Amino acid sequence: AQSVTQLGSHVSVSEGALVLLRCNYSSSVPPYLFWYVQYPNQGLQLLLKYTTGATLVKGINGFEAEFKKSETSFHLTKPSAHMSDAAEYFCAVSLLTGGGNKLTFGTGTQLKVEL
Amino acid sequence: EPEVTQTPSHQVTQMGQEVILRCVPISNHLYFYWYRQILGQKVEFLVSFYNNEISEKSEIFDDQFSVERPDGSNFTLKIRSTKLEDSAMYFCASRGQDHYGYTFGSGTRLTVV
C-alpha cells in the first residue's frame, strides 16, 4: 500500500523568502513522486515529478524537489516566494503495480505568501 | 499540448437524480481515471480503467457509480442516484504507456441539492 503525508496544512511565508513544503511517503517498492499545484477553483497542474535517475528534480515556476530515499521524503522548495505562488500544493505517489498505477494524494498544503 | 477535456464544468442536480460526467482523454492514452475532491479536502482516487474494464476501484466507488468508454473517445462517470455527499469536484485523468505521464482535466464541479 502507498500513502503520502504532508506536514503542515497551512504554510505562510513572506514574499522573497524560501518556500519549503514537506512530503513524506510510504511504499513497499520504489515510488514515482509528484507535486501538483491547484489555484482557487481550478484543476491540478503538474509542478514536477520524480521517476528514476537524478534525485533533484526541477519543475515549473522555479520549484524543485529532492527525492531522499533514506528519509522517504520528497520536499518541495523554491528559493524566493512570489505572491503568485499562493495556492494549494499536493504531493502524490504512484507505484508500478498491476492495478493501473493510481495516484495517491496527500492532504495538501495551503501556501500563503505575504508582503 | 494535448489536453483532457471535461464537460460540463459545473452541474447542479437534485438529490436522487442520475448524472453523467463526461471526459475526452488524450487520444493515444490507454489508462483512464476518475478522482474526486470534496471542497476543502484532498483528491481521492475513485477508479482506474484499462482495456475496457475497471482495473482498480476504491471503497468510495460503490454500486451507485459506473464508468464506461462507449465510443473509443469519451470516458464517462455515471452516478445513478445522487446524494448530497456526492457534491464535489470530479477530475478525469489519462495516461499513456509510461507509468507517470498523467494528464488531468480541469474538473466538473457537481453540486447536489
Side-chain angles (χ1 to χ4, degrees):
Chain A
Q2 66 216 52
S3 66
V4 174
T5 302
Q6 290 185 243
L7 291 175
S9 58
H10 292 81
V11 169
S12 184
V13 300
S14 299
E15 192 174 35
L18 171 73
V19 175
L20 170 61
L21 304 183
R22 298 178 187 275
C23 173
N24 288 86
Y25 69 90
S26 170
S27 88
S28 54
V29 298
Y32 297 130
L33 294 159
F34 306 78
W35 276 100
Y36 285 87
V37 61
Q38 185 180 35
Y39 297 99
N41 299 313
Q42 293 190 28
L44 297 165
Q45 182 181 6
L46 179 68
L47 273 179
L48 48 80
K49 64 188 175 203
Y50 168 78
T51 56
T52 58
T55 56
L56 182 62
V57 181
K58 294 187 186 297
I60 61 171
N61 301 340
F63 284 93
E64 61 183 37
E66 187 171 10
F67 170 60
K68 291 188 177 180
K69 185 179 177 182
S70 60
E71 298 177 8
T72 60
S73 69
F74 190 58
H75 301 331
L76 181 71
T77 60
K78 181 174 180 178
S80 176
H82 191 271
M83 296 296 288
S84 60
D85 295 327
E88 183 136 31
Y89 292 79
F90 292 95
C91 183
V93 63
S94 171
L95 302 182
L96 179 56
T97 67
N101 290 52
K102 68 181 181 186
L103 281 170
T104 298
F105 287 85
T107 49
T109 297
Q110 186 73 44
L111 176 66
K112 183 178 179 182
V113 182
E114 298 173 318
L115 284 171
Chain B
E1 190 169 328
E3 291 184 343
V4 173
T5 305
Q6 289 188 244
T7 54
S9 56
H10 293 86
Q11 178 146 5
V12 181
T13 189
Q14 294 219 325
M15 191 168 52
Q17 294 296 304
E18 174 183 286
V19 294
I20 297 176
L21 309 184
R22 301 182 192 279
C23 170
V24 179
I26 292 174
S27 60
N28 62 349
H29 280 187
L30 301 174
Y31 299 84
F32 312 107
Y33 307 83
W34 283 101
Y35 293 81
R36 80 170 185 192
Q37 184 183 31
I38 295 171
L39 187 63
Q41 298 186 24
K42 72 174 181 178
V43 179
E44 301 173 290
F45 168 75
L46 289 178
V47 65
S48 58
F49 191 85
Y50 170 71
N51 201 26
N52 280 318
E53 61 183 23
I54 290 173
S55 49
E56 187 176 359
K57 59 183 181 179
S58 72
E59 51 282 3
I60 302 168
F61 194 88
D62 62 21
D63 292 343
Q64 294 296 318
F65 291 89
S66 63
V67 289
E68 198 175 39
R69 189 160 158 78
D71 55 12
S73 61
N74 290 285
F75 179 51
T76 62
L77 174 69
K78 182 192 290 185
I79 309 175
R80 286 190 186 80
S81 178
T82 49
K83 303 188 270 272
L84 294 176
E85 54 265 37
D86 294 327
S87 295
M89 179 75 92
Y90 289 80
F91 292 107
C92 174
S94 68
R95 175 173 69 81
Q97 287 279 24
D98 64 52
H99 298 289
Y100 42 80
Y102 303 89
T103 301
F104 280 83
S106 54
T108 293
R109 182 167 296 285
L110 176 66
T111 303
V112 182
V113 297

